[in-house]
Amino acid sequence: MLGVLKRPIVVTADVNLNVVALTGMGLLSRLWQLSYPRAVVFDEVYYGQYISFYMKRIFFLDDSGPPFGHMLLALGGYLGGFDGNFLWNRIGAEYTSNVPVWSLRLLPALAGALSIPMAYQIVTELHFSHSAAMGAALLMLMENALITQSRLMLLESLLIFFNLLAVLSYLKFFNSQKHSPFSLQWWFWLVLTGVACACSVGIKYMGVFTYLLVLGVAAVHAWHLIGDKTLSN
């Protein structure tokens, strides 16, 4: 015990500076002046109504899609102290002082920013070069439509985030299968794959296509495992 105390405790970590830089640029491009414009833009006029219902504890039936995405947007309003008192009646209406615009747009912006390093990691998990991974991430970083969707109170960036998370988690699960099957890491990525797929479907029904994609790839991998004579039953 005394011998341990005489030596310093050293922790080493591998830090991918590419991922750090991409994350920083993603956060800067999505969070800078997030409250601008301080007015209702496009489908914020619809999602804002759902958020107000949640804030006021009013029961409603939403037939436009699953509720999970709207609940995530409402979480931003809850964290910002939104009381739900705003009339969402037209696009272009100026937000009143009681509407925490920055908080309402925060989760979509974070999802859009984190999708950039995930795109980088997906390409590297597919065993392409780091140059190819940087190219894919930079395309997502500079794509105007993705920037716009991420900076507004919309569901698209949340959906893309969980779609990419599902694919990345499955690839990490598959790669860990080769060297450490049934390990803690193996189980973590497997469970996270299922959670991400469920969140994708819970945001928009089109998330089921990502679920089917992961199932299809998993079926091919399972077929190869079944034919592997070196593995036990």
Side-chain angles (χ1 to χ4, degrees), residues 94-105:
E94 295 287 336
Y95 285 120
T96 55
S97 59
N98 68 307
V99 181
V101 182
W102 192 87
S103 297
L104 289 170
R105 294 174 176 171

Side-chain angles (χ1 to χ4, degrees), residues 7-163:
R7 295 191 300 269
I9 299 175
V10 179
V11 177
T12 59
D14 293 328
V15 179
N16 190 328
L17 294 181
N18 289 343
V19 174
V20 175
L22 289 170
T23 304
M25 289 187 292
L27 291 171
L28 178 63
S29 62
R30 269 64 177 177
L31 295 178
W32 184 67
Q33 290 190 351
L34 186 60
S35 298
Y36 178 84
R38 193 175 173 82
V40 180
V41 181
F42 193 50
D43 278 355
E44 286 185 340
V45 71
Y46 301 114
Y47 299 134
Q49 296 176 24
Y50 304 142
I51 294 174
S52 290
F53 288 148
Y54 278 119
M55 294 299 99
K56 294 180 178 180
R57 308 295 194 272
I58 297 176
F59 175 80
F60 68 98
L61 182 62
D62 174 22
D63 58 355
S64 65
F68 183 60
H70 303 152
M71 295 171 71
L72 288 177
L73 295 179
L75 175 61
Y78 175 78
L79 295 176
F82 183 42
D83 56 10
N85 291 319
F86 182 76
L87 184 60
W88 308 87
N89 59 349
R90 65 180 179 87
I91 296 174
E94 295 287 336
Y95 285 120
T96 55
S97 59
N98 68 307
V99 181
V101 182
W102 192 87
S103 297
L104 289 170
R105 294 174 176 171
L106 177 61
L107 288 182
L110 290 177
L114 296 178
S115 295
I116 298 167
M118 276 202 295
Y120 174 90
Q121 290 183 300
I122 286 174
V123 178
T124 56
E125 289 294 328
L126 290 171
H127 306 297
F128 288 98
S129 66
H130 288 281
S131 297
M134 281 295 295
L138 289 175
L139 287 175
M140 292 199 63
L141 174 66
M142 298 182 293
E143 166 56 37
N144 290 336
L146 294 178
I147 295 175
T148 303
Q149 291 173 347
S150 299
R151 292 177 56 83
L152 298 174
M153 191 172 52
L154 304 174
L155 298 180
E156 281 70 22
S157 62
L158 295 170
L159 176 64
I160 293 172
F161 170 81
F162 285 110
N163 287 344

